[in-house]
Amino acid sequence: MTRRLLTLLGLAAVPVGFLAVFFVLPVSGMVGRGFLVDGQLDLGGVAEVLARPRVHRVAWFTVWSAGTATLVSVLLGLPAAYALHRLDLPGRRLVRGLLLVPFVLPTVVVGVAFRHLLGDGGWLGFLGLDQSAVAVVAGLAFFNISVVIRMVGAAWESLDPRPGEAAAALGANGWQVLRTVTWPALRPAVVGAASVVFLFCATAFGVVLTLGGLRYATVETEIYLLTTTVFDLRAAAALSVLQLVVVVALLALAARLRVTADPTVARVVASPRRPTRRDVPVVLGTGLLLVALMAPLVTLVEGSLRVDGEWSLDNYRALAGTGDSAQDQALLVPVTTALASSLRIAVDATWMAVALGLLVAVVVSRRSHSAPERRLRGLLDGFFMLPLGVSAVTLGFGFLITLDTPPLDLRNSPLLVPVAQALVALPLVVRTLTPVLSGVDDRQRQAAASLGAAPWRTVLTVDLPALWRPLLAASGFAFAASLGEFGATAFLVRDDAPTLPVVIFRLLGHPGTHNYGMALAASVVLAVTTAAVMVAVERLRVPSLGVW
């Protein structure tokens, strides 16, 4: 037992050390900035910040917008989950892939698409919803409907159909079967999906900052504005602490309510059935939902190809420049340079996240042989999931105020931004790989060892055949998440080496149709790049992908 515990600690040493330096230290520094003054605990300053009227308005709007967007996402996502996972519809795999696209898009791209759709001259500009609370809620729901479809649809697909068939044979109508059989079995997945969506909406950054601006700020965007515009670091730290407590509580609730299906466990899965007449409203609703979700993306592409009312590629040709403004240039480097920086940073963040995530998955997935070992694995699993419970803005703020003195003065290090993005992607990698490694029968490893196989050969012959597809999928997922990351990167990136999401936001902040057209074209480039990566990932068909 002692040897197993030492081996466990040895494997966990690298990721634990990484998180200790690049997660615990920044978050602790942020907490200290909010509660400590000259080394003394001062709760009065935090109370003063939390008593401000604007903080109350920001907190209320955060709860209201996240709750409303969650309700909309669930109401629209449930019928689509049923249609795409229980009905044998032509092209349903293609539709499921298209409905996943909004979630994998960078948040700043979603914000730009909605601004173009709802702004002056947009398809829905006559509604006057640009820069409104409705626009923020619509953007959040657009981003998260696919989460409900994926999580609830997977659970719905795995429900044993025999209890419902038995109830129907006993005379129950469709509504009674849904109410007494299907809903009780599906409710944990629905509540779990709603909890995850609320968490994502409450910590959304790019969508809210782009669509809400100063008027409709959430706690996430308020931290950014306090740091970069008002320079009130103590107030930003106090809000970060408040957000950290609330988000960790929500994450714990989501973990308790989530139904995570192990893809290696045999399940009774109902074959999709042919739709009947009573399924027509659900099918039509799913089609309308697809149209509604594709509309912002179509108008984004259309806007990028229009210059002065004419079809043109000038916006794309302008990406080789730095934009223009009546006062100064919008950018210090061309957009193409920013795209190259984004790709390079995403590659670095991906190998970090995958290397650490693989070690973490190995540590937490092995079968425990004693109670102390089981408790240790549980503690390590919770510790490695902590980055999922801290917003990217809070993480970036923590980097800003802690990693600025020797021996950890990383302000000019090219690895600073990749490290922050790797922390954001790490939980996604772990949640993709852990179910796969947990499903490998430990007796196969024991049999290989008893036949004289060395540990490395056991890994090659037992683990690798089951792991290579999920490993590629996790790499693609981490790459896409890093490519579109905006929250932490906005704090850390240098003006002369920005990423593409930061460049898009800066272009939107400078007046002029030329800059706006460049922002649209850059958004299309970023969206196409991210979507191409996720299409390749989706084709790997890894069941654990997207299990939050």
Side-chain angles (χ1 to χ4, degrees):
M1 183 179 70
T2 302
R3 187 178 64 180
R4 284 196 298 268
L5 288 176
L6 290 176
T7 302
L8 176 62
L9 291 174
L11 289 173
V14 173
V16 167
F18 187 88
L19 260 67
V21 174
F22 296 111
F23 178 78
V24 176
L25 180 61
V27 172
S28 300
M30 175 266 298
V31 173
R33 184 64 64 95
F35 285 93
L36 299 177
V37 177
D38 297 327
Q40 300 295 321
L41 181 64
D42 180 19
L43 299 180
V46 176
E48 184 273 328
V49 171
L50 298 182
R52 296 176 184 176
R54 177 170 173 83
V55 171
H56 294 168
R57 293 194 300 270
V58 167
W60 164 246
F61 184 73
T62 301
V63 174
W64 176 83
S65 61
T68 305
T70 299
L71 181 62
V72 172
S73 299
V74 171
L75 291 179
L76 296 179
L78 285 179
Y82 171 78
L84 297 174
H85 289 267
R86 295 306 294 258
L87 300 180
D88 187 13
L89 299 173
R92 71 187 185 114
R93 187 176 298 279
L94 174 62
V95 175
R96 281 161 62 170
L98 290 175
L99 290 177
L100 180 65
V101 168
F103 179 74
V104 302
L105 288 177
T107 56
V108 69
V109 172
V110 174
V112 172
F114 268 85
R115 284 193 61 177
H116 189 67
L117 178 67
L118 302 175
D120 295 337
W123 292 359
L124 300 181
F126 64 92
L127 296 176
L129 296 177
D130 188 28
Q131 298 285 290
S132 67
V134 175
V136 173
V137 171
L140 293 175
F142 170 90
F143 198 68
N144 288 289
I145 286 174
S146 58
V147 177
V148 177
I149 295 174
R150 190 176 185 93
M151 294 182 69
V152 177
W156 216 327
E157 200 170 42
S158 65
L159 290 183
D160 189 343
R162 291 172 295 187
E165 295 169 354
L170 293 174
N173 57 35
W175 168 250
Q176 290 174 324
V177 171
L178 175 64
R179 182 173 57 86
T180 60
V181 179
T182 305
W183 174 249
L186 203 61
R187 182 171 52 202
V190 175
V191 176
S195 302
V196 171
V197 169
F198 186 89
L199 176 67
F200 286 161
C201 292
T203 58
F205 178 64
V207 172
V208 179
L209 188 64
T210 307
L211 297 178
L214 293 174
R215 184 179 180 186
Y216 296 105
T218 60
V219 172
E220 185 90 348
T221 59
E222 187 72 3
I223 294 170
Y224 175 78
L225 295 172
L226 285 171
T227 305
T228 60
T229 304
V230 185
F231 303 109
D232 188 350
L233 297 184
R234 186 174 188 188
L239 286 181
S240 297
V241 173
L242 173 65
Q243 186 190 49
L244 176 63
V245 172
V246 173
V247 169
V248 169
L250 287 173
L251 189 65
L253 176 64
R256 289 179 63 88
L257 296 174
R258 182 179 64 236
V259 176
T260 304
D262 187 342
T264 63
V265 176
R267 301 175 299 175
V268 179
V269 180
S271 300
R273 62 174 179 82
R274 295 181 62 85
T276 62
R277 181 177 299 179
R278 67 180 183 181
D279 297 319
V280 170
V282 174
V283 175
L284 289 178
T286 302
L288 291 176
L289 177 63
L290 178 62
V291 171
L293 292 181
M294 292 298 106
L297 305 181
V298 173
T299 189
L300 177 66
V301 175
E302 184 261 347
S304 71
L305 294 172
R306 303 281 287 184
V307 178
D308 296 328
E310 302 288 337
W311 294 103
S312 173
L313 293 175
D314 285 351
N315 288 329
Y316 290 90
R317 296 189 184 100
L319 297 182
T322 55
D324 63 16
S325 175
Q327 293 79 25
D328 54 14
Q329 289 182 324
L331 306 171
L332 295 181
V333 298
V335 178
T336 50
T337 301
L339 175 60
S341 297
S342 293
L343 294 173
R344 184 177 62 254
I345 291 171
V347 168
D348 289 337
T350 298
W351 71 255
M352 293 181 193
V354 171
L356 292 170
L358 182 58
L359 282 175
V360 172
V362 170
V363 168
V364 302
S365 64
R366 290 295 189 266
R367 186 167 63 90
S368 300
H369 296 83
S370 64
E373 187 179 354
R374 188 179 306 110
R375 286 193 295 268
L376 180 58
R377 291 186 192 276
L379 288 174
L380 290 173
D381 187 29
F383 177 68
F384 294 131
M385 287 298 102
L386 281 178
L388 191 60
V390 177
S391 72
V393 168
T394 300
L395 185 63
F397 180 36
F399 271 50
L400 193 67
I401 64 176
T402 56
L403 302 180
D404 59 349
T405 55
L408 292 175
D409 187 358
L410 301 178
R411 288 172 296 180
N412 297 320
S413 172
L415 293 178
L416 184 62
V417 176
V419 165
Q421 294 186 359
L423 284 172
V424 174
L426 177 61
L428 305 177
V429 175
V430 174
R431 281 290 174 252
T432 301
L433 300 181
T434 299
V436 178
L437 287 176
S438 298
V440 176
D441 193 339
D442 201 45
R443 290 174 296 184
Q444 297 181 29
R445 301 187 183 100
Q446 295 171 1
S450 65
L451 293 174
W456 63 268
R457 188 169 182 82
T458 300
V459 170
L460 290 179
T461 57
V462 177
D463 294 296
L464 188 60
L467 190 63
W468 72 270
R469 281 180 181 270
L471 196 60
L472 289 177
S475 301
F477 210 176
F479 184 85
S482 301
L483 194 62
E485 207 286 319
F486 181 52
T489 306
F491 278 95
L492 304 173
V493 74
R494 300 196 309 270
D495 290 341
D496 59 347
T499 61
L500 194 51
V502 173
V503 160
I504 292 170
F505 183 73
R506 289 177 182 172
L507 287 170
L508 289 176
H510 282 72
T513 57
H514 181 69
N515 292 329
Y516 184 69
M518 288 178 62
L520 295 179
S523 297
V524 172
V525 171
L526 183 57
V528 170
T529 305
T530 307
V533 173
M534 289 310 300
V535 167
V537 168
E538 188 71 11
R539 289 181 64 86
L540 293 172
R541 300 181 184 179
V542 177
S544 59
L545 187 66
V547 177
W548 295 280

